[in-house]
Amino acid sequence: MTVPGGPPGASDPAPDQPTAADRPTAPEPGVPAAGRGSRRSTAAVASVLDQAASSLTNIAVLVIAARVSTAHGFAAFSMVYLTFTVLLGLNTAYAGQVVVLTRGDTATTGAACRSAVAFTGLAATACGVLLAVAGTVTAAVGSTGPGGAFLALGIVLPLVLVQDVLRYAFSTLRRPGLALVTDTLRLLCVVPALLLQPQHTAPGLLVAVWGLSAVPALLLGLRLLWPHVRGTRTDLRPYARRGHLGRRFAVEFAVGNASSQLAVLGLGLFAAPLAVGALRGASTLFGPLNVLFNSVNAFGPPLLNRFDGRRATARAAAFLGLVLCAVGLGWGLVLHALPDGVGRQLLGETWQSAASLLPATGAQYAVMGLGTCALVTLRVLSPRSTLSVQVVFSLLSVVLMLGGYLLTGSALGAAWGLAAGSALKAVAAWIRAARVVRAPVAEERSAAADAPAVPAG
């Protein structure tokens, strides 16, 4: 799974993080150019479908959990799932986004994939132990609350994180179809497993069922990976080195994505747990837009690089941003017009609190479409320019969210605060992009020279 089904603010992609689509591929000997182009197109389609399967899994998990839980139960489940989302994003940044940059022969890429899977397993086990201990203590203090759910997350965390990192291993090996197979199996297992749970299921049981349903996909993924890593050596030393590229990616994730998620989690722990369920429920309904945003983040840079000149690149990105903005507004209007009966079928008892947030969340996703394209433009024209925008305006979004909640005393104020933060980030990113477009050619070359170097395996 991926972050796309996350809470408001969590789907602002970190555009400076390279993806498999950005990784240049060497011509394959003996394969005609037309054949290579066809294989690249097939790989791109498989990657998009895999992203869609992962996003659909996140959406389905949250929708089904909301339907079978009470409002308080879904709030507890959302807090635990939010914790998983942060840990997933950190591992993706530290291990997944680095392994897809690996270049070299089959032995080099195989060793990198094997090491990434091993590191994820060890790191997830360590974090899982801490979560299990914290959940046990919390459950012992009080019978209610998310303690049991955190205990369950600690137990299943290694399963779900390792299953997810396999997607990046297959991408590194240029086998996105294998990732699509395993993630599709994950979707086919988790949906019926959760649907079989009775009404008012405890959040701890829901987390356990969700995590254990990853076992078939995990076993299949490891079996498909084994022929590509057989005979290679696991090396965890690069992950502990000071210059590990994942540290930079983790910082970008922390300031660009995790800050808002942790703020929402803090809101639930110290102020209003039901607000977390409402924010989570509203953002879940906008899950299809996250598929679009992440696809733009993954495949936008290679497409924008085909345009001749900075102005043409910026105009194309601006047009795409307006299209995404219109799609976000349209989707928000559709959701706002849903009858209450349909809404309760989707989110159960959480619908009533989530429905009031739809205008604010719809506005946020509309401006996020503009901001996503602005950050992708900067990634193409001046990659180093995105970090400052992410740091300043992601933290500002957190301040506005908390400020909106304190001023109104409700989740609606927090949702409008997040929308305002996303709008300010989009404006700042486009202002920075306009300055880059108008910069002299010499400055453009300097910015390109500052782009992060790709490690050689």
Side-chain angles (χ1 to χ4, degrees):
M1 284 182 293
T2 55
V3 179
S11 55
D12 288 341
D16 209 18
Q17 292 185 8
T19 65
D22 305 322
R23 182 162 52 89
T25 58
E28 299 180 40
V31 179
R36 290 197 299 268
S38 176
R39 291 185 60 177
R40 291 194 189 101
S41 300
T42 303
V45 171
S47 297
V48 173
L49 291 177
D50 179 54
Q51 179 66 56
S54 299
S55 299
L56 184 58
T57 301
N58 282 276
I59 297 169
V61 166
L62 290 167
V63 168
I64 298 173
R67 291 183 60 183
V68 302
S69 302
T70 64
H72 287 84
F74 183 67
F77 179 87
S78 297
M79 292 170 64
V80 174
Y81 201 79
L82 193 57
T83 304
F84 160 73
T85 301
V86 173
L87 295 175
L88 173 66
L90 288 173
N91 185 71
T92 297
Y94 199 84
Q97 292 289 356
V98 174
V99 74
V100 298
L101 294 176
T102 304
R103 294 177 181 172
D105 55 17
T106 303
T108 301
T109 55
C113 293
R114 184 169 185 161
S115 300
V117 172
F119 171 80
T120 299
L122 290 175
T125 301
C127 291
V129 170
L130 295 177
L131 286 171
V133 171
T136 302
V137 173
T138 304
V141 172
S143 58
T144 60
F150 276 109
L151 171 62
L153 177 62
I155 295 173
V156 302
L157 186 64
L159 303 177
V160 290
L161 285 189
V162 172
Q163 191 273 323
D164 182 81
V165 83
L166 289 174
R167 303 172 60 241
Y168 297 91
F170 290 134
S171 180
T172 304
L173 297 169
R174 302 180 192 176
R175 298 292 187 273
L178 299 181
L180 175 59
V181 170
T182 57
D183 284 334
T184 301
L185 179 61
R186 172 74 169 123
L187 174 63
L188 294 177
C189 290
V190 70
V191 169
L194 291 177
L195 285 175
L196 290 174
Q197 303 310 306
Q199 287 293 319
H200 300 168
T201 300
L205 179 57
L206 281 179
V207 173
V209 171
W210 159 76
L212 292 175
S213 65
V215 171
L218 172 62
L219 295 178
L220 176 62
L222 293 175
R223 177 65 183 87
L224 294 175
L225 180 67
W226 176 245
H228 301 282
V229 302
R230 184 191 295 119
T232 60
R233 185 172 61 90
T234 301
D235 185 9
L236 302 181
R237 290 173 298 176
Y239 292 96
R241 291 173 184 164
R242 179 177 300 178
H244 181 58
L245 193 60
R247 296 190 179 187
R248 181 176 187 272
F249 295 158
V251 170
E252 285 226 3
F253 170 79
V255 299
N257 298 60
S259 57
S260 60
Q261 298 180 53
L262 290 174
V264 174
L265 182 61
L267 186 65
L269 289 174
F270 301 109
L274 287 177
V276 180
L279 290 169
R280 193 70 169 178
S283 65
T284 299
L285 297 176
F286 286 85
L289 296 186
N290 290 320
V291 178
L292 291 178
F293 294 163
N294 283 278
S295 296
V296 168
N297 187 44
F299 300 102
L303 294 176
L304 291 178
N305 273 325
R306 298 179 181 179
F307 288 90
D308 186 16
R310 291 173 291 176
R311 293 184 182 277
T313 298
R315 282 196 297 267
F319 176 76
L320 179 59
L322 292 174
V323 171
L324 292 181
C325 179
V327 171
L329 289 174
W331 186 250
L333 292 174
V334 170
L335 293 176
H336 189 63
L338 281 181
D340 285 343
V342 177
R344 291 193 182 93
Q345 287 294 320
L346 290 173
L347 296 181
E349 295 181 13
T350 306
W351 165 255
Q352 184 174 359
S353 57
S356 63
L357 307 186
L358 291 178
T361 307
Q364 183 195 6
Y365 272 82
V367 295
M368 277 169 53
L370 293 170
T372 296
C373 292
L375 291 170
V376 169
T377 304
L378 286 174
R379 180 179 175 181
V380 171
L381 301 180
S382 181
R384 295 285 184 181
S385 301
T386 60
L387 182 58
S388 59
V389 175
Q390 290 275 35
V391 170
V392 174
F393 289 94
S394 294
L395 295 178
L396 180 61
S397 294
V398 172
V399 173
L400 292 174
M401 184 202 73
L402 296 177
Y405 177 80
L406 292 176
L407 287 175
T408 63
S410 66
L412 181 60
W416 278 115
L418 285 170
S422 295
L424 291 174
K425 181 189 284 189
V427 171
W430 275 114
I431 291 175
R432 180 66 62 86
R435 290 176 180 173
V436 172
V437 169
R438 293 194 300 265
V441 177
E443 293 186 19
E444 179 188 19
R445 291 174 180 169
S446 175
D450 289 337
V454 178

mmCIF file of all heavy atoms in Angstrom, residues 9-29:
data_model
loop_
_atom_site.group_PDB
_atom_site.id
_atom_site.type_symbol
_atom_site.label_atom_id
_atom_site.label_comp_id
_atom_site.label_asym_id
_atom_site.label_seq_id
_atom_site.Cartn_x
_atom_site.Cartn_y
_atom_site.Cartn_z
ATOM 1 N N GLY A 9 -3.786 16.615 3.562
ATOM 2 C CA GLY A 9 -2.404 17.055 3.632
ATOM 3 C C GLY A 9 -1.422 15.963 3.357
ATOM 4 O O GLY A 9 -0.304 16.214 2.952
ATOM 5 N N ALA A 10 -1.841 14.706 3.551
ATOM 6 C CA ALA A 10 -0.901 13.616 3.361
ATOM 7 C C ALA A 10 -0.648 13.320 1.905
ATOM 8 O O ALA A 10 0.317 12.679 1.565
ATOM 9 C CB ALA A 10 -1.414 12.350 4.039
ATOM 10 N N SER A 11 -1.503 13.737 1.024
ATOM 11 C CA SER A 11 -1.337 13.408 -0.380
ATOM 12 C C SER A 11 -0.624 14.497 -1.150
ATOM 13 O O SER A 11 -0.546 14.431 -2.359
ATOM 14 C CB SER A 11 -2.692 13.149 -1.025
ATOM 15 O OG SER A 11 -3.535 14.248 -0.833
ATOM 16 N N ASP A 12 -0.140 15.548 -0.495
ATOM 17 C CA ASP A 12 0.741 16.467 -1.185
ATOM 18 C C ASP A 12 2.020 15.718 -1.486
ATOM 19 O O ASP A 12 2.792 15.423 -0.594
ATOM 20 C CB ASP A 12 1.081 17.687 -0.294
ATOM 21 C CG ASP A 12 -0.117 18.611 -0.156
ATOM 22 O OD1 ASP A 12 -1.025 18.502 -1.000
ATOM 23 O OD2 ASP A 12 -0.128 19.432 0.767
ATOM 24 N N PRO A 13 2.273 15.351 -2.739
ATOM 25 C CA PRO A 13 3.447 14.539 -3.006
ATOM 26 C C PRO A 13 4.725 15.289 -2.757
ATOM 27 O O PRO A 13 4.763 16.512 -2.836
ATOM 28 C CB PRO A 13 3.295 14.142 -4.476
ATOM 29 C CG PRO A 13 2.299 15.081 -5.045
ATOM 30 C CD PRO A 13 1.517 15.672 -3.925
ATOM 31 N N ALA A 14 5.773 14.577 -2.436
ATOM 32 C CA ALA A 14 7.083 15.183 -2.264
ATOM 33 C C ALA A 14 7.794 15.136 -3.605
ATOM 34 O O ALA A 14 8.414 14.155 -3.956
ATOM 35 C CB ALA A 14 7.883 14.440 -1.208
ATOM 36 N N PRO A 15 7.686 16.194 -4.434
ATOM 37 C CA PRO A 15 8.090 16.079 -5.813
ATOM 38 C C PRO A 15 9.576 15.942 -6.008
ATOM 39 O O PRO A 15 9.999 15.651 -7.100
ATOM 40 C CB PRO A 15 7.603 17.383 -6.439
ATOM 41 C CG PRO A 15 6.940 18.151 -5.390
ATOM 42 C CD PRO A 15 7.151 17.462 -4.095
ATOM 43 N N ASP A 16 10.392 16.178 -5.008
ATOM 44 C CA ASP A 16 11.822 16.042 -5.200
ATOM 45 C C ASP A 16 12.289 14.621 -4.992
ATOM 46 O O ASP A 16 13.456 14.328 -5.088
ATOM 47 C CB ASP A 16 12.572 16.968 -4.218
ATOM 48 C CG ASP A 16 13.906 17.410 -4.780
ATOM 49 O OD1 ASP A 16 14.088 17.297 -6.000
ATOM 50 O OD2 ASP A 16 14.753 17.861 -3.989
ATOM 51 N N GLN A 17 11.348 13.728 -4.690
ATOM 52 C CA GLN A 17 11.714 12.345 -4.507
ATOM 53 C C GLN A 17 11.633 11.638 -5.846
ATOM 54 O O GLN A 17 10.584 11.607 -6.473
ATOM 55 C CB GLN A 17 10.771 11.660 -3.521
ATOM 56 C CG GLN A 17 10.927 12.201 -2.095
ATOM 57 C CD GLN A 17 10.081 11.412 -1.134
ATOM 58 O OE1 GLN A 17 9.508 10.398 -1.486
ATOM 59 N NE2 GLN A 17 10.001 11.862 0.100
ATOM 60 N N PRO A 18 12.727 11.060 -6.333
ATOM 61 C CA PRO A 18 12.699 10.396 -7.623
ATOM 62 C C PRO A 18 11.902 9.123 -7.577
ATOM 63 O O PRO A 18 11.780 8.480 -6.549
ATOM 64 C CB PRO A 18 14.178 10.096 -7.901
ATOM 65 C CG PRO A 18 14.807 10.058 -6.566
ATOM 66 C CD PRO A 18 14.030 10.983 -5.676
ATOM 67 N N THR A 19 11.334 8.769 -8.693
ATOM 68 C CA THR A 19 10.565 7.547 -8.801
ATOM 69 C C THR A 19 11.157 6.688 -9.889
ATOM 70 O O THR A 19 12.044 7.099 -10.622
ATOM 71 C CB THR A 19 9.097 7.850 -9.139
ATOM 72 O OG1 THR A 19 9.065 8.444 -10.437
ATOM 73 C CG2 THR A 19 8.485 8.809 -8.139
ATOM 74 N N ALA A 20 10.623 5.485 -9.996
ATOM 75 C CA ALA A 20 11.134 4.575 -11.013
ATOM 76 C C ALA A 20 10.941 5.135 -12.403
ATOM 77 O O ALA A 20 11.723 4.869 -13.311
ATOM 78 C CB ALA A 20 10.422 3.222 -10.895
ATOM 79 N N ALA A 21 9.895 5.949 -12.600
ATOM 80 C CA ALA A 21 9.658 6.497 -13.923
ATOM 81 C C ALA A 21 10.723 7.490 -14.328
ATOM 82 O O ALA A 21 10.930 7.749 -15.507
ATOM 83 C CB ALA A 21 8.291 7.188 -13.959
ATOM 84 N N ASP A 22 11.423 8.095 -13.344
ATOM 85 C CA ASP A 22 12.443 9.084 -13.644
ATOM 86 C C ASP A 22 13.794 8.452 -13.885
ATOM 87 O O ASP A 22 14.725 9.121 -14.318
ATOM 88 C CB ASP A 22 12.602 10.074 -12.472
ATOM 89 C CG ASP A 22 11.282 10.704 -12.121
ATOM 90 O OD1 ASP A 22 10.523 10.979 -13.051
ATOM 91 O OD2 ASP A 22 11.029 10.903 -10.936
ATOM 92 N N ARG A 23 13.938 7.179 -13.557
ATOM 93 C CA ARG A 23 15.240 6.558 -13.628
ATOM 94 C C ARG A 23 15.564 6.214 -15.075
ATOM 95 O O ARG A 23 14.871 5.425 -15.708
ATOM 96 C CB ARG A 23 15.252 5.297 -12.763
ATOM 97 C CG ARG A 23 16.574 4.589 -12.719
ATOM 98 C CD ARG A 23 16.601 3.642 -11.525
ATOM 99 N NE ARG A 23 15.455 2.775 -11.493
ATOM 100 C CZ ARG A 23 15.424 1.594 -12.104
ATOM 101 N NH1 ARG A 23 16.451 1.171 -12.795
ATOM 102 N NH2 ARG A 23 14.346 0.836 -12.023
ATOM 103 N N PRO A 24 16.609 6.788 -15.664
ATOM 104 C CA PRO A 24 16.929 6.487 -17.042
ATOM 105 C C PRO A 24 17.333 5.031 -17.194
ATOM 106 O O PRO A 24 17.980 4.446 -16.338
ATOM 107 C CB PRO A 24 18.106 7.421 -17.352
ATOM 108 C CG PRO A 24 18.704 7.734 -16.035
ATOM 109 C CD PRO A 24 17.579 7.700 -15.039
ATOM 110 N N THR A 25 16.920 4.446 -18.299
ATOM 111 C CA THR A 25 17.227 3.051 -18.549
ATOM 112 C C THR A 25 18.180 2.946 -19.711
ATOM 113 O O THR A 25 18.079 3.685 -20.693
ATOM 114 C CB THR A 25 15.944 2.275 -18.871
ATOM 115 O OG1 THR A 25 15.310 2.875 -19.996
ATOM 116 C CG2 THR A 25 14.996 2.298 -17.687
ATOM 117 N N ALA A 26 19.119 2.025 -19.606
ATOM 118 C CA ALA A 26 20.087 1.824 -20.670
ATOM 119 C C ALA A 26 19.472 0.991 -21.775
ATOM 120 O O ALA A 26 18.641 0.122 -21.515
ATOM 121 C CB ALA A 26 21.323 1.110 -20.104
ATOM 122 N N PRO A 27 19.847 1.261 -23.038
ATOM 123 C CA PRO A 27 19.304 0.468 -24.133
ATOM 124 C C PRO A 27 19.662 -0.994 -23.966
ATOM 125 O O PRO A 27 20.767 -1.352 -23.584
ATOM 126 C CB PRO A 27 19.992 1.076 -25.370
ATOM 127 C CG PRO A 27 20.449 2.427 -24.944
ATOM 128 C CD PRO A 27 20.761 2.312 -23.494
ATOM 129 N N GLU A 28 18.711 -1.858 -24.244
ATOM 130 C CA GLU A 28 18.945 -3.279 -24.112
ATOM 131 C C GLU A 28 19.546 -3.800 -25.410
ATOM 132 O O GLU A 28 19.015 -3.576 -26.493
ATOM 133 C CB GLU A 28 17.627 -3.999 -23.829
ATOM 134 C CG GLU A 28 16.985 -3.538 -22.524
ATOM 135 C CD GLU A 28 15.686 -4.256 -22.280
ATOM 136 O OE1 GLU A 28 15.631 -5.474 -22.551
ATOM 137 O OE2 GLU A 28 14.732 -3.621 -21.835
ATOM 138 N N PRO A 29 20.681 -4.486 -25.325
ATOM 139 C CA PRO A 29 21.316 -4.966 -26.533
ATOM 140 C C PRO A 29 20.443 -5.971 -27.256
ATOM 141 O O PRO A 29 19.835 -6.844 -26.655
ATOM 142 C CB PRO A 29 22.611 -5.627 -26.014
ATOM 143 C CG PRO A 29 22.325 -5.951 -24.590
ATOM 144 C CD PRO A 29 21.399 -4.896 -24.109
#
